[in-house]
mmCIF file of all heavy atoms in Angstrom:
data_model
loop_
_atom_site.group_PDB
_atom_site.id
_atom_site.type_symbol
_atom_site.label_atom_id
_atom_site.label_comp_id
_atom_site.label_asym_id
_atom_site.label_seq_id
_atom_site.Cartn_x
_atom_site.Cartn_y
_atom_site.Cartn_z
ATOM 1 N N ARG A 1216 17.163 -7.050 -2.976
ATOM 2 C CA ARG A 1216 17.339 -7.647 -4.301
ATOM 3 C C ARG A 1216 17.303 -6.577 -5.376
ATOM 4 O O ARG A 1216 16.565 -5.606 -5.269
ATOM 5 C CB ARG A 1216 16.223 -8.668 -4.557
ATOM 6 C CG ARG A 1216 16.303 -9.880 -3.649
ATOM 7 C CD ARG A 1216 15.088 -10.770 -3.832
ATOM 8 N NE ARG A 1216 13.885 -10.132 -3.321
ATOM 9 C CZ ARG A 1216 12.681 -10.676 -3.396
ATOM 10 N NH1 ARG A 1216 12.517 -11.833 -3.989
ATOM 11 N NH2 ARG A 1216 11.633 -10.043 -2.898
ATOM 12 N N ALA A 1217 18.071 -6.763 -6.410
ATOM 13 C CA ALA A 1217 18.106 -5.787 -7.496
ATOM 14 C C ALA A 1217 16.815 -5.853 -8.298
ATOM 15 O O ALA A 1217 16.318 -6.938 -8.611
ATOM 16 C CB ALA A 1217 19.294 -6.079 -8.416
ATOM 17 N N PRO A 1218 16.212 -4.696 -8.579
ATOM 18 C CA PRO A 1218 14.982 -4.695 -9.381
ATOM 19 C C PRO A 1218 15.213 -5.317 -10.752
ATOM 20 O O PRO A 1218 16.272 -5.174 -11.350
ATOM 21 C CB PRO A 1218 14.637 -3.208 -9.493
ATOM 22 C CG PRO A 1218 15.327 -2.554 -8.340
ATOM 23 C CD PRO A 1218 16.594 -3.345 -8.157
ATOM 24 N N VAL A 1219 14.196 -6.021 -11.226
ATOM 25 C CA VAL A 1219 14.272 -6.612 -12.558
ATOM 26 C C VAL A 1219 13.041 -6.163 -13.336
ATOM 27 O O VAL A 1219 12.057 -5.708 -12.764
ATOM 28 C CB VAL A 1219 14.315 -8.155 -12.496
ATOM 29 C CG1 VAL A 1219 15.583 -8.611 -11.812
ATOM 30 C CG2 VAL A 1219 13.100 -8.700 -11.754
ATOM 31 N N LYS A 1220 13.097 -6.313 -14.638
ATOM 32 C CA LYS A 1220 11.989 -5.900 -15.479
ATOM 33 C C LYS A 1220 10.761 -6.760 -15.192
ATOM 34 O O LYS A 1220 10.856 -7.979 -15.039
ATOM 35 C CB LYS A 1220 12.376 -6.043 -16.954
ATOM 36 C CG LYS A 1220 11.304 -5.527 -17.906
ATOM 37 C CD LYS A 1220 11.782 -5.642 -19.346
ATOM 38 C CE LYS A 1220 10.698 -5.145 -20.282
ATOM 39 N NZ LYS A 1220 11.136 -5.232 -21.693
ATOM 40 N N ALA A 1221 9.594 -6.113 -15.100
ATOM 41 C CA ALA A 1221 8.364 -6.837 -14.811
ATOM 42 C C ALA A 1221 8.112 -7.880 -15.896
ATOM 43 O O ALA A 1221 8.041 -7.543 -17.078
ATOM 44 C CB ALA A 1221 7.199 -5.860 -14.734
ATOM 45 N N PRO A 1222 7.978 -9.161 -15.528
ATOM 46 C CA PRO A 1222 7.801 -10.201 -16.543
ATOM 47 C C PRO A 1222 6.412 -10.185 -17.170
ATOM 48 O O PRO A 1222 6.244 -10.548 -18.329
ATOM 49 C CB PRO A 1222 8.024 -11.492 -15.761
ATOM 50 C CG PRO A 1222 7.694 -11.139 -14.345
ATOM 51 C CD PRO A 1222 8.073 -9.702 -14.181
ATOM 52 N N THR A 1223 5.406 -9.795 -16.431
ATOM 53 C CA THR A 1223 4.036 -9.798 -16.954
ATOM 54 C C THR A 1223 3.309 -8.574 -16.431
ATOM 55 O O THR A 1223 3.654 -8.030 -15.380
ATOM 56 C CB THR A 1223 3.277 -11.068 -16.516
ATOM 57 O OG1 THR A 1223 3.339 -11.174 -15.083
ATOM 58 C CG2 THR A 1223 3.888 -12.310 -17.137
ATOM 59 N N PRO A 1224 2.258 -8.138 -17.106
ATOM 60 C CA PRO A 1224 1.468 -7.000 -16.617
ATOM 61 C C PRO A 1224 0.777 -7.342 -15.297
ATOM 62 O O PRO A 1224 0.461 -8.502 -15.029
ATOM 63 C CB PRO A 1224 0.456 -6.767 -17.739
ATOM 64 C CG PRO A 1224 1.025 -7.454 -18.942
ATOM 65 C CD PRO A 1224 1.813 -8.610 -18.434
ATOM 66 N N ALA A 1225 0.539 -6.308 -14.497
ATOM 67 C CA ALA A 1225 -0.151 -6.497 -13.221
ATOM 68 C C ALA A 1225 -1.353 -5.561 -13.158
ATOM 69 O O ALA A 1225 -1.291 -4.419 -13.607
ATOM 70 C CB ALA A 1225 0.798 -6.206 -12.065
ATOM 71 N N ARG A 1226 -2.440 -6.061 -12.626
ATOM 72 C CA ARG A 1226 -3.617 -5.225 -12.429
ATOM 73 C C ARG A 1226 -3.826 -4.992 -10.939
ATOM 74 O O ARG A 1226 -3.473 -5.836 -10.111
ATOM 75 C CB ARG A 1226 -4.851 -5.880 -13.043
ATOM 76 C CG ARG A 1226 -5.342 -7.122 -12.290
ATOM 77 C CD ARG A 1226 -6.534 -7.753 -12.981
ATOM 78 N NE ARG A 1226 -7.041 -8.908 -12.241
ATOM 79 C CZ ARG A 1226 -8.099 -8.865 -11.423
ATOM 80 N NH1 ARG A 1226 -8.743 -7.721 -11.239
ATOM 81 N NH2 ARG A 1226 -8.506 -9.960 -10.796
ATOM 82 N N GLN A 1227 -4.404 -3.850 -10.604
ATOM 83 C CA GLN A 1227 -4.679 -3.528 -9.211
ATOM 84 C C GLN A 1227 -6.158 -3.746 -8.924
ATOM 85 O O GLN A 1227 -7.016 -3.383 -9.725
ATOM 86 C CB GLN A 1227 -4.296 -2.074 -8.906
ATOM 87 C CG GLN A 1227 -4.533 -1.665 -7.463
ATOM 88 C CD GLN A 1227 -4.050 -0.257 -7.171
ATOM 89 O OE1 GLN A 1227 -2.950 0.115 -7.536
ATOM 90 N NE2 GLN A 1227 -4.893 0.526 -6.508
ATOM 91 N N ARG A 1228 -6.438 -4.333 -7.772
ATOM 92 C CA ARG A 1228 -7.818 -4.553 -7.351
ATOM 93 C C ARG A 1228 -7.894 -4.538 -5.831
ATOM 94 O O ARG A 1228 -6.871 -4.556 -5.137
ATOM 95 C CB ARG A 1228 -8.344 -5.886 -7.885
ATOM 96 C CG ARG A 1228 -7.585 -7.100 -7.381
ATOM 97 C CD ARG A 1228 -8.303 -8.402 -7.709
ATOM 98 N NE ARG A 1228 -7.525 -9.581 -7.340
ATOM 99 C CZ ARG A 1228 -7.462 -10.102 -6.116
ATOM 100 N NH1 ARG A 1228 -8.112 -9.513 -5.107
ATOM 101 N NH2 ARG A 1228 -6.731 -11.178 -5.876
ATOM 102 N N GLU A 1229 -9.115 -4.516 -5.290
ATOM 103 C CA GLU A 1229 -9.288 -4.561 -3.844
ATOM 104 C C GLU A 1229 -8.978 -5.956 -3.298
ATOM 105 O O GLU A 1229 -9.159 -6.968 -3.985
ATOM 106 C CB GLU A 1229 -10.725 -4.172 -3.460
ATOM 107 C CG GLU A 1229 -11.027 -2.698 -3.665
ATOM 108 C CD GLU A 1229 -12.346 -2.285 -3.021
ATOM 109 O OE1 GLU A 1229 -12.986 -3.135 -2.335
ATOM 110 O OE2 GLU A 1229 -12.742 -1.119 -3.199
ATOM 111 N N VAL A 1230 -8.500 -5.985 -2.070
ATOM 112 C CA VAL A 1230 -8.195 -7.250 -1.397
ATOM 113 C C VAL A 1230 -9.494 -7.998 -1.099
ATOM 114 O O VAL A 1230 -10.504 -7.406 -0.715
ATOM 115 C CB VAL A 1230 -7.430 -6.991 -0.090
ATOM 116 C CG1 VAL A 1230 -7.243 -8.293 0.696
ATOM 117 C CG2 VAL A 1230 -6.083 -6.349 -0.375
ATOM 118 N N GLN A 1231 -9.444 -9.309 -1.279
ATOM 119 C CA GLN A 1231 -10.526 -10.196 -0.878
ATOM 120 C C GLN A 1231 -10.023 -11.103 0.244
ATOM 121 O O GLN A 1231 -8.816 -11.329 0.384
ATOM 122 C CB GLN A 1231 -10.987 -11.045 -2.066
ATOM 123 C CG GLN A 1231 -11.462 -10.230 -3.254
ATOM 124 C CD GLN A 1231 -11.676 -11.075 -4.491
ATOM 125 O OE1 GLN A 1231 -11.522 -12.299 -4.460
ATOM 126 N NE2 GLN A 1231 -12.029 -10.423 -5.600
ATOM 127 N N PHE A 1232 -10.942 -11.627 1.040
ATOM 128 C CA PHE A 1232 -10.510 -12.472 2.150
ATOM 129 C C PHE A 1232 -9.744 -13.693 1.654
ATOM 130 O O PHE A 1232 -8.815 -14.179 2.305
ATOM 131 C CB PHE A 1232 -11.715 -12.908 2.996
ATOM 132 C CG PHE A 1232 -11.316 -13.549 4.292
ATOM 133 C CD1 PHE A 1232 -10.981 -12.771 5.396
ATOM 134 C CD2 PHE A 1232 -11.234 -14.921 4.402
ATOM 135 C CE1 PHE A 1232 -10.572 -13.355 6.585
ATOM 136 C CE2 PHE A 1232 -10.834 -15.516 5.594
ATOM 137 C CZ PHE A 1232 -10.507 -14.736 6.690
ATOM 138 N N SER A 1233 -10.105 -14.178 0.484
ATOM 139 C CA SER A 1233 -9.448 -15.363 -0.077
ATOM 140 C C SER A 1233 -8.010 -15.101 -0.515
ATOM 141 O O SER A 1233 -7.311 -16.030 -0.926
ATOM 142 C CB SER A 1233 -10.258 -15.882 -1.268
ATOM 143 O OG SER A 1233 -10.391 -14.877 -2.261
ATOM 144 N N ASP A 1234 -7.547 -13.846 -0.437
ATOM 145 C CA ASP A 1234 -6.176 -13.507 -0.845
ATOM 146 C C ASP A 1234 -5.143 -13.824 0.232
ATOM 147 O O ASP A 1234 -3.959 -13.522 0.049
ATOM 148 C CB ASP A 1234 -6.071 -12.014 -1.175
ATOM 149 C CG ASP A 1234 -6.786 -11.643 -2.457
ATOM 150 O OD1 ASP A 1234 -6.780 -12.475 -3.388
ATOM 151 O OD2 ASP A 1234 -7.337 -10.535 -2.531
ATOM 152 N N PHE A 1235 -5.553 -14.400 1.350
ATOM 153 C CA PHE A 1235 -4.622 -14.572 2.467
ATOM 154 C C PHE A 1235 -3.326 -15.263 2.050
ATOM 155 O O PHE A 1235 -2.238 -14.764 2.347
ATOM 156 C CB PHE A 1235 -5.275 -15.364 3.609
ATOM 157 C CG PHE A 1235 -4.283 -15.736 4.685
ATOM 158 C CD1 PHE A 1235 -3.848 -14.792 5.600
ATOM 159 C CD2 PHE A 1235 -3.730 -17.011 4.737
ATOM 160 C CE1 PHE A 1235 -2.904 -15.117 6.565
ATOM 161 C CE2 PHE A 1235 -2.794 -17.347 5.692
ATOM 162 C CZ PHE A 1235 -2.373 -16.394 6.615
ATOM 163 N N GLU A 1236 -3.407 -16.386 1.390
ATOM 164 C CA GLU A 1236 -2.199 -17.148 1.051
ATOM 165 C C GLU A 1236 -1.274 -16.345 0.147
ATOM 166 O O GLU A 1236 -0.059 -16.320 0.341
ATOM 167 C CB GLU A 1236 -2.570 -18.480 0.387
ATOM 168 C CG GLU A 1236 -3.305 -19.450 1.293
ATOM 169 C CD GLU A 1236 -2.444 -19.960 2.448
ATOM 170 O OE1 GLU A 1236 -1.213 -19.794 2.388
ATOM 171 O OE2 GLU A 1236 -3.024 -20.499 3.412
ATOM 172 N N GLY A 1237 -1.846 -15.670 -0.858
ATOM 173 C CA GLY A 1237 -1.021 -14.886 -1.767
ATOM 174 C C GLY A 1237 -0.337 -13.727 -1.072
ATOM 175 O O GLY A 1237 0.842 -13.446 -1.312
ATOM 176 N N VAL A 1238 -1.068 -13.037 -0.181
ATOM 177 C CA VAL A 1238 -0.476 -11.920 0.562
ATOM 178 C C VAL A 1238 0.572 -12.422 1.544
ATOM 179 O O VAL A 1238 1.651 -11.831 1.686
ATOM 180 C CB VAL A 1238 -1.576 -11.124 1.290
ATOM 181 C CG1 VAL A 1238 -0.957 -10.096 2.242
ATOM 182 C CG2 VAL A 1238 -2.479 -10.429 0.279
ATOM 183 N N ALA A 1239 0.279 -13.526 2.235
ATOM 184 C CA ALA A 1239 1.236 -14.086 3.191
ATOM 185 C C ALA A 1239 2.540 -14.479 2.493
ATOM 186 O O ALA A 1239 3.635 -14.242 3.016
ATOM 187 C CB ALA A 1239 0.625 -15.288 3.901
ATOM 188 N N GLY A 1240 2.430 -15.079 1.307
ATOM 189 C CA GLY A 1240 3.635 -15.455 0.565
ATOM 190 C C GLY A 1240 4.443 -14.237 0.151
ATOM 191 O O GLY A 1240 5.680 -14.242 0.234
ATOM 192 N N LEU A 1241 3.764 -13.191 -0.310
ATOM 193 C CA LEU A 1241 4.457 -11.952 -0.695
ATOM 194 C C LEU A 1241 5.170 -11.338 0.503
ATOM 195 O O LEU A 1241 6.341 -10.953 0.409
ATOM 196 C CB LEU A 1241 3.436 -10.965 -1.266
ATOM 197 C CG LEU A 1241 3.946 -9.540 -1.501
ATOM 198 C CD1 LEU A 1241 5.004 -9.515 -2.609
ATOM 199 C CD2 LEU A 1241 2.779 -8.603 -1.841
ATOM 200 N N LYS A 1242 4.487 -11.228 1.635
ATOM 201 C CA LYS A 1242 5.091 -10.629 2.822
ATOM 202 C C LYS A 1242 6.299 -11.435 3.289
ATOM 203 O O LYS A 1242 7.313 -10.869 3.716
ATOM 204 C CB LYS A 1242 4.048 -10.506 3.934
ATOM 205 C CG LYS A 1242 2.964 -9.482 3.621
ATOM 206 C CD LYS A 1242 1.849 -9.496 4.631
ATOM 207 C CE LYS A 1242 2.279 -8.943 5.969
ATOM 208 N NZ LYS A 1242 1.130 -8.848 6.907
ATOM 209 N N GLU A 1243 6.213 -12.746 3.195
ATOM 210 C CA GLU A 1243 7.356 -13.577 3.588
ATOM 211 C C GLU A 1243 8.538 -13.342 2.652
ATOM 212 O O GLU A 1243 9.691 -13.243 3.090
ATOM 213 C CB GLU A 1243 6.955 -15.051 3.590
ATOM 214 C CG GLU A 1243 8.046 -15.970 4.135
ATOM 215 C CD GLU A 1243 7.566 -17.397 4.318
ATOM 216 O OE1 GLU A 1243 6.412 -17.707 3.951
ATOM 217 O OE2 GLU A 1243 8.352 -18.221 4.818
ATOM 218 N N ARG A 1244 8.273 -13.214 1.343
ATOM 219 C CA ARG A 1244 9.358 -12.939 0.391
ATOM 220 C C ARG A 1244 10.033 -11.606 0.690
ATOM 221 O O ARG A 1244 11.241 -11.446 0.505
ATOM 222 C CB ARG A 1244 8.820 -12.914 -1.047
ATOM 223 C CG ARG A 1244 8.328 -14.220 -1.576
ATOM 224 C CD ARG A 1244 8.195 -14.214 -3.101
ATOM 225 N NE ARG A 1244 7.310 -13.184 -3.633
ATOM 226 C CZ ARG A 1244 6.000 -13.343 -3.803
ATOM 227 N NH1 ARG A 1244 5.405 -14.462 -3.422
ATOM 228 N NH2 ARG A 1244 5.275 -12.367 -4.338
ATOM 229 N N GLU A 1245 9.256 -10.644 1.159
ATOM 230 C CA GLU A 1245 9.782 -9.297 1.388
ATOM 231 C C GLU A 1245 10.268 -9.080 2.821
ATOM 232 O O GLU A 1245 10.611 -7.968 3.208
ATOM 233 C CB GLU A 1245 8.733 -8.254 1.034
ATOM 234 C CG GLU A 1245 8.306 -8.276 -0.423
ATOM 235 C CD GLU A 1245 9.484 -8.171 -1.368
ATOM 236 O OE1 GLU A 1245 10.322 -7.273 -1.170
ATOM 237 O OE2 GLU A 1245 9.588 -8.992 -2.293
ATOM 238 N N GLY A 1246 10.295 -10.132 3.622
ATOM 239 C CA GLY A 1246 10.878 -10.037 4.949
ATOM 240 C C GLY A 1246 9.996 -9.437 6.017
ATOM 241 O O GLY A 1246 10.480 -9.033 7.080
#
């Protein structure tokens, strides 16, 4: 996919166990 301008700011933090759904969704989007 063609890169697009970031719509909102993003912060970086350590992974928590509760992040499973969010990480799984991202990985699925990225193949």
Side-chain angles (χ1 to χ4, degrees):
R1216 293 173 291 178
V1219 295
K1220 184 177 179 180
T1223 55
R1226 71 182 182 99
Q1227 181 176 313
R1228 62 169 175 82
E1229 289 192 5
V1230 174
Q1231 302 170 3
F1232 191 82
S1233 58
D1234 289 325
F1235 171 76
E1236 294 294 345
V1238 171
L1241 170 67
K1242 292 173 71 175
E1243 186 172 4
R1244 293 197 302 272
E1245 298 306 311

